[in-house]
Amino acid sequence: MTKHSNNLSFETICSSEVEELRHNPSHILPIYASSSFVFEDTQHSIDVFTNQKDGHLYSRYANPTVDSVAKKLARLETFGTDIEGYCLLTNSGMSAISLVFAAFLNHGDTILTQADLYGGTTELINKVFARFGINAIYVDLTDIDVVEKALIEHNITMIYAETPANPSLRCIDLAATARIAKQHHCMTVVDNTFCTPYIQRPLALDIDVVIHSTTKSLNGHGNSIGGAVIADAKYKHQLWQSYKLIGLNPSPFEAWLLHNGMKTLTLRVSKACDNAMVVAKFLETHNKVGQVNYPGLPNHASYNIASSQMSKFGSMLSFELKGGFDAGKSLMDNVSLITLAPTLGDLDTLMLHPASSSHLNIKREIRESVGITDGLVRMSVGIEESEDLIKDLSAALNTIS
Ligand SMILES: *Cc1c(COP(=O)(O)O)cnc(C)c1O
């Protein structure tokens, strides 16, 4: 058999890894699509396995692409504080929430939370973690007296909050919640998906853990599913242990997409927030529209707290159509620029009529108890020119009889 000059057989050359021909560093973060990483020698392996040296072993534990993006998000969530932040990226927002519960809760523990959580989170608590002995108490977290009463009456391990909440856009006073929770030795977790660290930073307000669905505004382009957990580095071991053992890691490609999106976070989110304000003001004066829920409107119940803890009022709003279910259908069927889609935080404006979509199979009394009425429409405002959005909305609203 003929052999090449390097003395290897054809088969071995085929199956061997190549030498990386990179003469100088790449400008853009590379995608490390490798399940494992190579040890220099046995001492290196000992150092990494005993956690004496940071190293990459196996991509379920850690991956250079994923870690680089996580580090950036940790810096953003702890910006302006002296907290040493630690971030783990996960393969969805739901897995970020699961990680927090798995890392910090034990059988018999009780979570204090709100009824108007992201629907998946409520189901995760009630259908999955309940079977592992985790209890949940649902109260109005916007009322700090109610929170204090619950902390006194029950043995609460964790307060889990989402602010602004969907669809009311009501806001929870994070600094007050953190203060009262600390008095009761209770951990605080905030889902910061709607805001992103650009407009709200719960860790700076003394909240212990932040989670994200990076699928939404952090990525912003609607092309990947992902999540993140960010906390003080003192929680590093506790979080990472559950992360690597459950296997919550995202693919390096998804992390790379997230990073692409995060680069324009400030440009996208500030434009979307400006547009949301224009749209909210337009809707407020429209004769087919009743209540408009946007925390940037001075008559919104959470205007004051939103003004103090958010640097902008966000890109999410909801509104009530006076004509109920039929008006909702009419609006949805007659927009042309705005898209009907059950996500949020994308570049383009999205609308959802929960009564004819996400909440179709949920009993009226239950959905109405969390503010989902027949005529309620939720909007995630994008970065289009606002006058085009108003034209589209205006034309569609005029089709309501
Ligand atoms: C979408 C969303 C989640 C769940 O995230 P996924 O990426 O879909 O798993 C959690 N919380 C909020 C507020 C969300 O909008």
Side-chain angles (χ1 to χ4, degrees):
M1 201 204 300
T2 48
K3 289 198 171 181
H4 195 260
S5 56
N6 65 6
N7 224 26
L8 293 173
S9 61
F10 187 92
E11 288 80 354
T12 303
I13 294 170
C14 272
S15 64
S16 298
E17 192 50 47
V18 288
E19 192 188 324
E20 192 180 337
L21 287 180
R22 182 174 64 82
H23 300 295
N24 33 345
S26 66
H27 170 215
I28 299 300
L29 177 69
I31 301 173
Y32 283 92
S34 182
S35 55
S36 71
F37 300 87
V38 177
F39 297 122
E40 285 152 25
D41 52 31
T42 50
Q43 188 55 49
H44 183 212
S45 141
I46 291 165
D47 290 345
V48 173
F49 269 105
T50 55
N51 292 321
Q52 293 182 60
K53 258 192 192 162
D54 281 338
H56 286 104
L57 303 172
Y58 189 56
S59 282
R60 173 158 52 75
Y61 293 32
N63 170 284
T65 309
V66 176
D67 291 358
S68 306
V69 183
K71 189 165 183 182
K72 179 166 182 167
L73 186 50
R75 290 177 71 181
L76 296 175
E77 275 295 350
T78 56
F79 186 82
T81 74
D82 49 19
I83 300 167
E84 190 199 338
Y86 176 64
C87 171
L88 284 166
L89 295 184
T90 60
N91 53 39
S92 69
M94 292 313 298
S95 64
I97 301 165
S98 302
L99 169 58
V100 168
F101 293 165
F104 296 114
L105 297 176
N106 292 301
H107 190 274
D109 283 352
T110 301
I111 308 173
L112 184 68
T113 188
Q114 65 207 72
D116 50 358
L117 283 178
Y118 176 74
T121 310
T122 313
E123 284 195 71
L124 178 70
I125 294 170
N126 295 345
K127 296 185 176 165
V128 180
F129 281 91
R131 291 189 287 106
F132 295 89
I134 306 297
N135 312 300
I137 298 176
Y138 296 90
V139 297
D140 179 4
L141 293 182
T142 64
D143 185 339
I144 203 72
D145 295 333
V146 167
V147 174
E148 179 161 38
K149 187 162 175 280
L151 287 168
I152 291 167
E153 285 175 3
H154 306 275
N155 189 8
I156 308 286
T157 313
M158 176 187 283
I159 297 179
Y160 184 93
E162 214 177 286
T163 179
N166 187 16
S168 65
L169 282 303
R170 293 225 294 155
C171 301
I172 293 162
D173 183 337
L174 293 178
T177 305
R179 200 178 323 117
I180 199 131
K182 290 227 156 40
Q183 285 166 13
H184 292 267
H185 308 288
C186 170
M187 177 166 222
T188 46
V189 180
V190 168
D191 181 336
N192 202 26
T193 299
F194 275 23
C195 286
T196 82
Y198 180 47
I199 65 178
Q200 176 172 277
R201 290 193 284 277
L203 300 181
L205 301 171
D206 237 8
I207 294 293
D208 297 309
V209 182
V210 165
I211 76 101
H212 279 285
S213 166
T214 62
T215 311
K216 315 293 168 52
S217 303
L218 270 172
N219 174 310
H221 293 69
N223 55 15
S224 82
I225 297 280
V229 177
I230 307 100
D232 189 297
K234 71 183 177 200
Y235 296 116
K236 177 174 176 171
H237 185 73
Q238 206 171 346
L239 283 166
W240 182 65
Q241 173 135 301
S242 293
Y243 176 87
K244 68 166 185 186
L245 292 174
I246 305 175
L248 298 169
N249 57 290
S251 80
F253 178 61
E254 305 277 320
W256 185 88
L257 284 173
L258 168 61
H259 186 226
N260 259 357
M262 279 167 62
K263 289 178 183 176
T264 55
L265 180 71
T266 61
L267 299 174
R268 288 184 288 103
V269 172
S270 53
K271 174 77 176 170
C273 291
D274 291 350
N275 280 352
M277 183 67 95
V278 173
V279 169
K281 285 184 175 158
F282 163 76
L283 290 169
E284 216 185 10
T285 58
H286 201 283
N287 64 0
K288 300 278 169 60
V289 178
Q291 167 103 7
V292 178
N293 304 309
Y294 185 63
L297 296 176
N299 65 4
H300 186 271
S302 297
Y303 176 75
N304 287 335
I305 184 64
S307 307
S308 74
Q309 70 186 13
M310 295 160 68
S311 64
K312 294 177 184 296
F313 293 108
S315 54
M316 294 299 296
L317 59 90
S318 68
F319 55 98
E320 193 70 51
L321 288 167
K322 289 176 184 163
F325 189 85
D326 292 337
K329 273 187 70 188
S330 206
L331 176 66
M332 301 308 278
D333 291 340
N334 287 289
V335 282
S336 57
L337 174 65
I338 298 171
T339 306
L340 281 52
T343 186
L344 57 100
D346 281 359
L347 292 174
D348 53 335
T349 298
L350 308 173
M351 218 158 53
L352 186 74
H353 178 219
S356 69
S357 60
S358 57
H359 286 65
L360 206 50
N361 298 321
I362 296 175
K363 282 206 195 91
R364 178 190 297 268
E365 312 87 76
I366 294 183
R367 67 172 161 83
E368 286 187 348
S369 72
V370 290
I372 314 265
T373 54
D374 282 352
L376 184 93
V377 175
R378 185 188 83 178
M379 235 174 132
S380 162
V381 181
I383 64 165
E384 302 92 340
E385 273 314 306
S386 58
E387 64 184 69
D388 293 331
L389 289 174
I390 302 295
K391 252 188 241 159
D392 194 36
L393 270 174
S394 180
L397 284 166
N398 287 338
T399 65
I400 297 172
S401 51

